[in-house]
Each structure stands twice: as C-alpha cells, then as structure tokens.
Amino acid sequence: MKSQNVPISICFLASIISFHGYSTLAAEHVSRKFSIKINPECETILGSDCSTNSTLNLVHIRSDGPHDTLHFLWSFLGSPSLLLARTPLQSNLSVDWISIFEDAGGAISFEPAPYYVFGWSLVKVWVYNDQNDTARLDKADQSEVEDYDAKNFLWSRVDNSSILNSTMVRMSFEARAYDHKEGEAFGAQQMGPHGFFKITIRMKSTEDYSTVLPYMMYNENSTQVDIAFNDVQLNTTAEEYPNHPRIAFKYIMVQDNGNRNAEAGKMHLDVTKTLDDEHSPGVFEVYSVNTPAKGSDQSYMQWKPICYTAEVRDVIDSVDVVAYSLQNASSVLHEDNVQDSILWSYFGAEIDNVTLQAMNISFGTVGDGFYNKTKHISWTYSTGFGVPPPDRVSLLVMLVVSIGLGIPVLIIVLSVIYMLMCRVRRPRDDLLLGQ
C-alpha cells in the first residue's frame, strides 16, 4: 500500500511548485568561477595601486563559465549601480577613469562587444510625510515629499566583512554622510549620530538560499542585495523632518539586446502566488521585474514584499514593501537621474535607444508607527541573468506532506478492502444460516 501513496504525494508537491509559477524541472546549472578586481585600471590616473582606496568603489566581478562570461560591474561612483553583461569568454573590460569623473558616455566598454547588457541604478531616496497613514507614496501630498539624490551619499567599502574567492563573494558598502551641496565646502553632513545606509552584495557559484530572512533563493547567475537604512536623518534641521515619515526608493533599469535598431520592448512587473511559505513565514507572493526575452537572454530583479524594522531580522518586525507600476524613463528628464551612474558611463546618449524604465519602491504598513518608530529598514532582493530561480521544497516538507497524505490514503484503501471483504463474506454466512 505504501508504494501507492508516494506518487500521490509527489503529484501534490508538483502542483504546489507549478502553482508557484515555475516549471518543476530545474534549469541546467553551469559551473562558474569568480575573479574580482577593485577599481580596475585606476592606476592610469592615480599612478599607484588604488584597490585599497575604500572611498573609490568600482568593483568588477568576472564570472567565467564553459561557454561565456558574466560581468557584474558594481559602482558606488555616483548612484549605487549594477551593470551586468554577458560576453564571449575572451572579452575584457576597459575603463576610462578620466571620462568617468567627467560624466562622459562611453567610459566603460567591453572587447569583444557583449551579447547582452542589463543594469539598474538606485537614483533617489524619498522621505515623505504619510499624514493619512496610507503607507503609499502615490497617495502622499507631493508638497510633503522630499527627494534626495543617491549620488550624494558618501560611500565607503567595509573591507573587514568582505569574502572574495572563486566560489563566494560578499562585500559591504556604507554611507554615513550625505553631501547636501554636491561637493561644495562643508556640504557633507553626518546622517545622525547612529545613521547609516548600507548595501551588502552576496554571490555564490552554486544555487542556494540566503542565510537571512526572507531567505531569498539565488544562483550562480545572480547576486543578492541586502539594504539597511538605519536611523538616517537627511534633513538639515529637526524642524524640517516630517511628523509621519516613510521611506521610498527610485530605481532606473536598462536592457540592451545588442540590436538598437530593433523594437526595444518593455519590462514588466510580475506577481507570483505561492502556497509554500516554508522559507518566509506568512509570505505567499513573490515580485519580480522581468526584462523582455531576447533569444535566450533575459534579466530580472526579484523580491518578496516584506522588509524588517530591526537590524536583527525577525518575522514579528516585518512590514510591507510596496512596488509601483513601471514608467518610461529618459536621459533628458532631470528627475530620472540617468546621468548619475555607470549606466550612463556605458551607454552614453545611446541609453535612450534601448529599454529604459523606472520603478518606485516604498516601505511600511498601515498602523506600523511610521519610520520614526524603529528608524530602521532592512530589505533584500536578488538580481541577475536569466529567469529568477524557483523555490525548492525541502526534504522535510516532502516527508511531512507524504506522511500527511499517505496515512489518510492508507486508511481509505484499508477501509475499502475491509468493506469488500465484508460483502464477500456476507453471502457465505447467509448460505450457512439457510442450511
């Protein structure tokens, strides 16, 4: 009887995974090897090894596979940004540092040219007054929304937490000051006595779950981004700080399929339902921005709609993450801040000839006490090449489901057998009584 129960349980598990929106067949995984270089080719302008300069941060993570190379180019020069390129194995990165400092296009290039390029940039931080406690940026009084350019945060690399080897990468970047006057004397100010804005990137050469809530899955083609926004005071005076503050971010995303004369297509924001909350208790949705597929090339940003209001993450300290509709972006619109990142350094004016869109993200739940209550937000998302990796059902869950379904099925089958045996025996007993 037991052999009949297992297929039924497996079918139920397959329906759960299918409902999650992904195929039950795992994608073929390619073994990759990482190599990291900090501030590549910067010796041409500084005349010395500048990889130890913690305030100059352009990090090139090269991920070599058997057939191609993925380049993860992280920049904290201007707005925090990621440029992801898939290239032939022989391709190399070239950086013109003088052009980068002059905000000129074409400062970053690959030779031979990439098959595919995707990138995003965190360009704005909003502090808005949620007077009516709606927990939505689009319902706030726009006169009470203060925007801060992300390029003006003064970032430093936190080397004592770094892990850099061929199979694992972990790096943290932290800002504790904001330049309100963009480079003028005495323009930079501390963001409060305990204020910091921290971004941590994590990569592994194998598919795995994160070790922190909400335990996002990532693989060898992607990276995980952890953001901590702690006790940040961006207003110059206490009187300017809103009474009911909430925090929001603005991202610019770009995709180039290598054929800029073709129809660019649009990115789309998808919401996937799931029945499985094993790794993120109480969360049954996954959000992702997916780029239009160009042959076998595609990219994404993925997150669960939850963030945490304490540095040590716990389910009881969670609030919502709200994503808003994607919008078209342009380099000619000042509010899009396209020219404040390495996206501009790579594309230059050609950026308007590829897919370029913007997305807003806000944090908070109605009745949570606003940002003032804990003065902390921790949020995680993954981003990379291809399609988002699906959640895996653990062996423990498979056993629990198998046992949970197997026992009732066993009882039903035994009951049916017992009833059939009773029917077979009843005519025989009636015959004996008749004699």
Side-chain angles (χ1 to χ4, degrees):
M1 308 305 297
K2 186 176 180 180
S3 62
Q4 296 179 3
N5 300 337
V6 174
I8 296 175
S9 303
I10 293 175
C11 289
F12 180 76
L13 287 171
S15 68
I16 293 177
I17 300 174
S18 176
F19 186 80
H20 190 27
Y22 299 104
S23 168
T24 56
L25 298 176
E28 180 183 357
H29 293 289
V30 176
S31 176
R32 291 191 175 275
K33 182 179 180 181
F34 300 145
S35 57
I36 302 98
K37 188 167 181 60
I38 299 173
N39 301 323
E41 302 182 6
C42 65
E43 295 85 357
T44 58
I45 62 167
L46 296 182
S48 61
D49 181 13
C50 51
S51 62
T52 58
N53 187 336
S54 64
T55 61
L56 188 66
N57 290 301
L58 182 67
V59 179
H60 179 213
I61 303 173
R62 184 185 180 105
S63 177
D64 289 311
H67 308 297
D68 59 13
T69 296
L70 299 182
H71 300 264
F72 293 81
L73 189 60
W74 287 94
S75 173
F76 289 80
L77 309 172
S79 300
S81 308
L82 169 65
L83 187 72
L84 170 59
R86 187 174 77 87
T87 70
L89 284 172
Q90 306 87 346
S91 185
N92 291 307
L93 169 70
S94 178
V95 180
D96 182 346
W97 282 88
I98 294 177
S99 295
I100 283 182
F101 291 141
E102 293 177 350
D103 294 328
I108 293 171
S109 60
F110 297 90
E111 181 62 38
Y115 300 126
Y116 173 84
V117 176
F118 167 72
W120 54 257
S121 180
L122 171 57
V123 295
K124 278 192 182 295
V125 173
W126 277 302
V127 180
Y128 69 97
N129 191 30
D130 189 10
Q131 186 67 40
N132 298 319
D133 196 13
T134 62
R136 289 191 64 93
L137 175 64
D138 56 357
K139 294 184 178 180
D141 184 343
Q142 295 305 301
S143 66
E144 296 187 291
V145 178
E146 295 290 337
D147 65 272
Y148 298 88
D149 292 336
K151 68 177 181 178
N152 293 331
F153 288 96
L154 304 184
W155 295 95
S156 294
R157 195 170 61 253
V158 186
D159 286 328
N160 59 3
S161 65
S162 295
I163 298 176
L164 306 174
N165 57 51
S166 62
T167 60
M168 182 181 296
V169 175
R170 185 182 71 196
M171 300 185 74
S172 294
F173 305 85
E174 186 177 82
R176 290 184 174 270
Y178 184 84
D179 190 354
H180 289 271
K181 297 184 179 180
E182 299 188 23
E184 293 183 15
F186 309 109
Q189 295 185 12
Q190 295 295 310
M191 300 183 298
H194 308 291
F196 65 83
F197 188 5
K198 187 175 183 178
I199 297 178
T200 300
I201 61 174
R202 305 173 193 267
M203 295 179 64
K204 287 187 178 180
S205 60
T206 57
E207 187 174 84
D208 201 1
Y209 279 99
S210 168
T211 56
V212 297
L213 283 169
Y215 303 121
M216 294 287 295
M217 169 73 79
Y218 58 108
N219 59 22
E220 68 281 358
N221 298 329
S222 66
T223 183
Q224 178 180 290
V225 184
D226 294 326
I227 290 180
F229 200 77
N230 183 81
D231 200 10
V232 173
Q233 300 173 23
L234 287 172
N235 301 81
T236 55
T237 64
E239 291 76 15
E240 295 177 3
Y241 205 74
N243 294 324
H244 306 93
R246 294 197 186 278
I247 308 300
F249 295 158
K250 179 179 182 177
Y251 283 87
I252 296 289
M253 296 165 290
V254 61
Q255 174 181 267
D256 181 15
N257 68 334
N259 183 5
R260 299 180 187 180
N261 295 321
E263 181 65 27
K266 298 293 183 183
M267 303 178 194
H268 46 97
L269 177 63
D270 295 328
V271 182
T272 305
K273 303 289 185 179
T274 175
L275 293 176
D276 178 21
D277 69 337
E278 174 189 6
H279 301 286
S280 304
V283 181
F284 297 96
E285 291 181 334
V286 180
Y287 282 67
S288 60
V289 173
N290 297 295
T291 66
K294 303 297 182 182
S296 61
D297 291 322
Q298 191 175 2
S299 295
Y300 66 91
M301 289 178 61
Q302 184 188 59
W303 65 95
K304 294 184 178 181
I306 189 171
C307 65
Y308 302 89
T309 58
E311 289 192 62
V312 179
R313 301 183 181 190
D314 194 284
V315 175
I316 62 173
D317 298 316
S318 60
V319 296
D320 295 335
V321 175
V322 181
Y324 301 86
S325 300
L326 300 181
Q327 302 172 353
N328 292 332
S330 171
S331 67
V332 300
L333 298 177
H334 176 71
E335 60 268 22
D336 283 342
N337 298 82
V338 173
Q339 297 174 340
D340 295 336
S341 72
I342 59 164
L343 304 184
W344 179 260
S345 299
Y346 177 78
F347 288 101
E350 284 292 303
I351 200 167
D352 289 311
N353 297 326
V354 297
T355 302
L356 182 64
Q357 294 182 264
M359 178 184 64
N360 298 333
I361 296 283
S362 67
F363 308 95
T365 301
V366 173
D368 62 2
F370 310 100
Y371 180 66
N372 273 347
K373 183 176 181 180
T374 62
K375 297 182 179 179
H376 184 88
I377 292 170
S378 290
W379 178 48
T380 295
Y381 59 94
S382 62
T383 181
F385 175 82
V387 296
D391 279 336
R392 293 188 308 227
V393 180
S394 68
L395 178 61
L396 176 61
V397 171
M398 293 180 68
L399 289 174
V400 170
V401 173
S402 297
I403 294 172
L405 291 177
I407 292 177
V409 171
L410 178 62
I411 293 174
I412 292 172
V413 172
L414 290 176
S415 299
V416 171
I417 293 174
Y418 176 76
M419 292 175 64
L420 291 175
M421 291 180 62
C422 288
R423 287 193 175 189
V424 170
R425 292 181 59 184
R426 187 175 300 148
R428 187 180 302 173
D429 293 342
D430 292 345
L431 181 62
L432 290 175
L433 289 172
Q435 292 178 352

